[in-house]
Amino acid sequence: MLMYLAPRHTEIIELAKTEGRVLVDDLAERFDVTPQTIRKDLNDLCERQLLTRIHGGAVIPSSTQNMEYAQRGKIAAEEKQAIGAAAAALIPDNASLFINIGTTTEAVSQALLRHGRLMIITNNINVANRMRPYTQFEVVIAGGVVRASDGGIVGEAAVDFIRQFKVDYAVIGTSAIDPDGALLDYDFREVKVAQAIIANARQVILVADSTKFERTAPVRIGHLEQVDTFVTDQCPDDRVRKICRDFDVELIETMRLP
């Protein structure tokens, strides 16, 4: 399909695959053209269903499969770092917590490295490897099938393992947030683990950057009403804001909309 594209369009697609997203201003500078020209390029590519528009740019379209984990980590990286710091600030020393798979939950684990004693139960090999060397943490890792794509541990064995615990906090991510408050993911096996995590935590902290409002996924984790605190860079959807108010979900935005 890409052989029928203009050279600049081909490069834009490849950049989106590599970086996770492309932004109008960055592309205009890269190709030495006006932002209006890039917007037309992106609109053309979106009409051909090769990209999906987001605020200020575009991403590879969502489908029944998630994008590569490394690509996801590059999307909204600064926003995820701020979200991670804000979420970590909610968790006191000497707490027990779940952390599930995801690039934003990994940002929380990075911010938690300054904490005192914690017990961390995770199905995320990346989180376990990051926190393991620190003697103030007790790291417990779930058993089950390890996904080669991202180091997530999934399956019934992981679900049964999670159900053995009742912890103070759960830090969970999601692949997409629908306007009706549904939290969505791509892998039904990971969803089962996330549901067990939600059911066995006293406080649930959802961490998700604002690009999750622009995506969709086929498998339902649950609903925003099951969350105690939602930490994001910004919430662009008034319907989601209303759900937070109606169900007493604390909404923390690290970067408010103007």
Side-chain angles (χ1 to χ4, degrees):
M1 185 181 297
L2 295 183
M3 68 180 67
Y4 301 109
L5 296 175
R8 188 170 67 231
H9 288 189
T10 299
E11 191 167 346
I12 289 171
I13 292 291
E14 293 303 318
L15 284 168
K17 288 180 178 179
T18 302
E19 301 297 328
R21 68 173 174 177
V22 288
L23 300 176
V24 170
D25 291 342
D26 292 346
L27 292 174
E29 181 177 354
R30 181 186 184 93
F31 294 109
D32 194 23
V33 296
T34 65
Q36 291 78 10
T37 297
I38 294 298
R39 290 190 189 97
K40 183 178 184 303
D41 288 342
L42 297 184
N43 289 337
D44 289 345
L45 291 169
C46 290
E47 286 178 7
R48 300 179 68 169
Q49 299 183 330
L50 296 173
L51 291 177
T52 298
R53 284 303 300 264
I54 61 171
H55 179 70
V59 297
I60 296 295
S62 297
S63 65
T64 57
Q65 291 186 332
N66 207 352
M67 67 179 66
E68 290 295 325
Y69 200 67
Q71 295 173 8
R72 287 154 54 194
K74 294 176 182 178
I75 296 177
E78 292 183 5
E79 290 88 341
K80 289 174 182 176
Q81 185 176 7
I83 291 167
L90 301 172
I91 298 169
D93 292 345
N94 299 304
S96 57
L97 63 149
F98 293 126
I99 302 178
N100 80 339
I101 192 70
T103 55
T104 313
T105 57
E106 286 187 30
V108 179
S109 73
Q110 180 66 39
L112 285 170
L113 295 181
R114 300 182 184 90
H115 274 53
R117 182 167 176 79
L118 295 173
M119 180 181 185
I120 302 105
I121 301 104
T122 185
N123 70 320
N124 185 333
I125 283 179
N126 307 305
V127 167
N129 280 335
R130 174 177 289 116
M131 307 191 85
R132 172 190 54 78
Y134 294 82
T135 57
Q136 72 268 36
F137 303 138
E138 181 179 3
V139 180
V140 184
I141 192 163
V145 177
V146 181
R147 282 193 309 218
S149 61
D150 58 10
I153 301 171
V154 297
E156 288 302 318
V159 172
D160 291 342
F161 182 85
I162 293 296
R163 286 174 177 162
Q164 297 180 75
F165 298 89
K166 185 73 174 183
V167 302
D168 300 318
Y169 297 90
V171 178
I172 65 165
T174 186
S175 292
I177 302 173
D178 259 14
D180 66 0
L183 308 178
L184 306 170
D185 210 304
Y186 293 89
D187 187 339
F188 71 91
R189 300 170 302 168
E190 165 59 17
V191 163
K192 291 292 186 183
V193 179
Q195 289 169 343
I197 285 173
I198 291 170
N200 290 283
R202 297 180 181 91
Q203 294 281 321
V204 178
I205 302 170
L206 172 67
V207 291
D209 68 85
S210 55
T211 65
K212 302 301 172 63
F213 292 95
E214 298 156 346
R215 304 182 67 195
T216 187
V219 189
R220 183 186 177 96
I221 299 170
H223 191 271
L224 195 55
E225 69 183 81
Q226 297 170 269
V227 169
D228 297 287
T229 307
F230 175 25
V231 186
T232 184
D233 54 313
Q234 55 187 22
C235 178
D237 196 314
D238 288 337
R239 292 165 293 184
V240 173
R241 289 181 179 276
K242 183 176 186 302
I243 291 168
C244 290
R245 290 195 300 269
D246 290 348
F247 291 98
D248 294 322
V249 177
E250 181 183 9
L251 175 61
I252 297 174
E253 295 173 275
T254 61
M255 184 178 69
R256 291 187 176 276
L257 288 167

